[in-house]
Amino acid sequence: MKAIRVKQLRQGNPSIALETVDDPVITHPQEVIVKVLAVGLDGTDKEILQEKYGVPPQGEDDLTTGHESLGVVAEAGAESGFQAGDLVTAIVRRPCRNQSCVNCRNGHSDFCQTGEFVERGIKGAHGFLSEYYREDGRYLVQVPTDLLEHGVLVEPQSIVEKVWDQVLRVQQRLIWEPKTALVLGSGPLGLLAAITCRLLGLDVYVWSRSPQDSLQAKLVKDCGGVYQTADEDGGLTAYAEGLGKPIDFVLECTGFSPLAFEAMAVLAPNGVLALLGVTPADRKLEISSDMLNQSMVLENKCVIGSVNAARKDFETAIYRLQQMERVYPGWLDRLVTNRMKLEAVPKLDFASIPIKAVVDIVPVEQWRGLVKQTNEVEYSFSV
Ligand code: BGC
Ligand code: ZN
């Protein structure tokens, strides 16, 4: 089968190639072979394809990339819980093997304590940018067929669902009635965060570098949010002051670390700042540490970092994407600005992607014929 491989990740001079690799075969009755329909690309893939990130499986030199997947079960092991024709996506992270890691032992490898986890397509395990993959049924999530067109967005949306779940848990410390959310960044994650906050009933402001007449700005407006192009001079503090209202919830989705510190200062008393982005760099910053410390302590503020997502977050993501399509029809289609074939990936220029790229392994017209139609999905596994 064909697969996109980042080659020789450990030996220098890496390159990206469309390779022919062995077809996966079932080796255990719990396993499933999935035929991949589509894979979404995000910032992590950009880093990996630009050879700044990514770890191949142990003992190998190359890594098949891709972690945002939508596929259809081609062959199901007798004990997998799946059937041929089921529409599925896969959780990205696999638990570490360390018996002392209570989170991995309880279905929460997204909170792995040892760092010995692997992530498909990212760290220590091949990903999904290939015609097929093999997976243990426990790590697959069934997607209802009415979400066929947008199922490839379940993984990125799971990142938003995880952080919202975390924020709700943290805020059980008080009576919290959030009214206003500020999203920093208007990439796929920022935009999904913005529309999610709208669906949660919040007033949403998005502050980012894209111009005022960009598609990003239009998408924010079309889900009822307010968009503002980041002003080089004034900065975030001036913008937030100008809003003239308390900002209960800030989602930092740019990964530009100086903004994380500026955001602490603009947060309302009792508010939460969620950090979701990273850009690999070595920035150093001079900050008003006393002022920040004082406002964090005296105003009960909270900063929370969040990575990856668990099965339940994937399941909530399915619910939320269906809600998005119902309340703002067509919005998700506009988020996906680029579709391409597997063959185009090695030459891909990320700078040419306005928002989100999806690689169609199987042409979209053929999807419906491969999938067994069902919206009766039972979510039975707890891993
Ligand atoms: C993925 C996460 C992963 C993270 C760090 C993100 O792009 O969506 O699943 O944990 O990268 O590797
Ligand atoms: Zn662990």
Side-chain angles (χ1 to χ4, degrees):
M1 66 165 185
K2 288 186 264 178
I4 294 293
R5 289 245 158 134
V6 182
K7 297 186 61 67
Q8 295 177 345
L9 276 168
R10 287 193 185 120
Q11 297 170 3
N13 300 323
S15 64
I16 295 137
L18 180 66
E19 298 262 292
T20 302
V21 300
D22 292 342
D23 283 350
V25 286
I26 289 184
T27 59
H28 188 279
Q30 279 190 358
E31 287 176 345
V32 166
I33 302 295
V34 178
K35 181 177 176 64
V36 185
L37 301 178
V39 170
L41 301 178
D42 75 355
T44 306
D45 299 301
K46 178 177 161 192
E47 303 294 339
I48 294 171
L49 292 167
Q50 291 175 348
E51 298 133 7
K52 292 179 191 157
Y53 198 60
V55 181
Q58 207 167 15
E60 298 185 39
D61 289 327
D62 308 338
L63 175 73
T64 301
T65 57
H67 61 276
E68 300 180 359
S69 70
L70 181 70
V72 56
V73 172
E75 200 189 330
E79 292 164 27
S80 67
F82 286 90
Q83 289 179 359
D86 285 345
L87 186 66
V88 291
T89 185
I91 291 168
V92 177
R93 199 176 272 192
R94 301 289 167 269
C96 71
R97 290 167 193 275
N98 196 317
Q99 285 311 311
S100 72
C101 186
V102 68
N103 291 313
C104 280
R105 304 285 71 78
N106 282 283
H108 265 292
S109 59
D110 58 324
F111 284 101
C112 176
Q113 282 171 209
T114 65
E116 294 160 13
F117 60 83
V118 299
E119 288 182 339
R120 292 204 63 164
I122 302 173
K123 178 181 177 277
H126 291 306
F128 309 122
L129 256 178
S130 53
E131 290 176 284
Y132 296 89
Y133 67 87
R134 175 180 54 222
E135 187 51 273
D136 188 315
R138 287 176 300 170
Y139 303 120
L140 296 178
V141 180
Q142 193 168 353
V143 177
T145 41
D146 67 2
L147 202 62
L148 180 62
E149 282 161 42
H150 306 115
V152 75
L153 297 171
V154 171
E155 196 279 342
Q157 180 61 22
S158 74
I159 305 292
V160 179
E161 299 303 341
K162 171 174 171 175
V163 78
W164 178 241
D165 177 63
Q166 295 301 305
V167 166
L168 287 180
R169 287 162 191 260
V170 167
Q171 293 301 77
Q172 286 186 8
R173 64 195 175 133
L174 77 160
I175 297 165
W176 195 47
E177 296 178 326
K179 295 192 174 48
T180 305
L182 171 63
V183 178
L184 307 178
S186 60
L189 190 58
L191 291 169
L192 286 172
I195 191 172
T196 303
C197 289
R198 287 293 303 135
L199 291 172
L200 293 168
L202 299 171
D203 290 339
V204 174
Y205 296 84
V206 177
W207 190 80
S208 181
R209 285 208 305 223
S210 307
Q212 212 62 32
D213 60 356
S214 59
L215 176 59
Q216 288 88 331
K218 290 194 186 86
L219 284 168
V220 172
K221 285 178 211 148
D222 292 347
C223 68
V226 177
Y227 182 81
Q228 178 61 51
T229 303
D231 183 346
E232 298 287 324
D233 315 324
L236 178 62
T237 310
Y239 172 65
E241 273 168 15
L243 291 181
K245 51 164 111 172
I247 302 169
D248 306 300
F249 181 29
V250 180
L251 290 117
E252 204 305 295
C253 301
T254 70
F256 182 64
S257 57
L259 267 186
F261 292 90
E262 219 179 330
M264 290 177 198
V266 307
L267 199 58
N270 300 333
V272 185
L273 161 61
L275 304 179
L276 294 174
V278 282
T279 46
D282 190 21
R283 283 187 202 91
K284 305 229 170 15
L285 181 72
E286 206 169 286
I287 52 167
S288 312
S289 52
D290 281 343
M291 182 276 285
L292 274 183
N293 186 49
Q294 192 169 319
S295 92
M296 295 293 298
V297 173
L298 299 183
E299 297 181 344
N300 290 299
K301 295 185 189 183
C302 175
V303 179
I304 182 167
S306 182
V307 68
N308 196 252
R311 163 175 287 276
K312 70 170 172 38
D313 305 310
F314 278 68
E315 294 177 359
T316 317
I318 289 170
Y319 158 81
R320 194 86 65 195
L321 289 167
Q322 287 173 322
Q323 194 186 14
M324 286 175 197
E325 188 57 18
R326 235 183 5 256
V327 180
Y328 302 108
W331 192 95
L332 287 171
D333 276 333
R334 293 159 68 207
L335 186 76
V336 178
T337 48
N338 301 62
R339 299 201 84 113
M340 68 193 76
K341 292 183 178 169
L342 204 54
E343 288 73 17
V345 177
K347 287 176 247 92
L348 177 62
D349 172 16
F350 272 90
S352 70
I353 300 167
I355 302 179
K356 177 107 193 138
V358 169
V359 184
D360 293 319
I361 322 285
V362 173
V364 180
E365 319 79 74
Q366 295 174 21
W367 290 7
R368 230 161 250 288
L370 295 170
V371 174
K372 190 180 76 209
Q373 300 292 315
T374 176
N375 287 315
E376 314 256 308
V377 173
E378 252 183 68
Y379 294 110
S380 49
F381 299 110
S382 64
V383 174

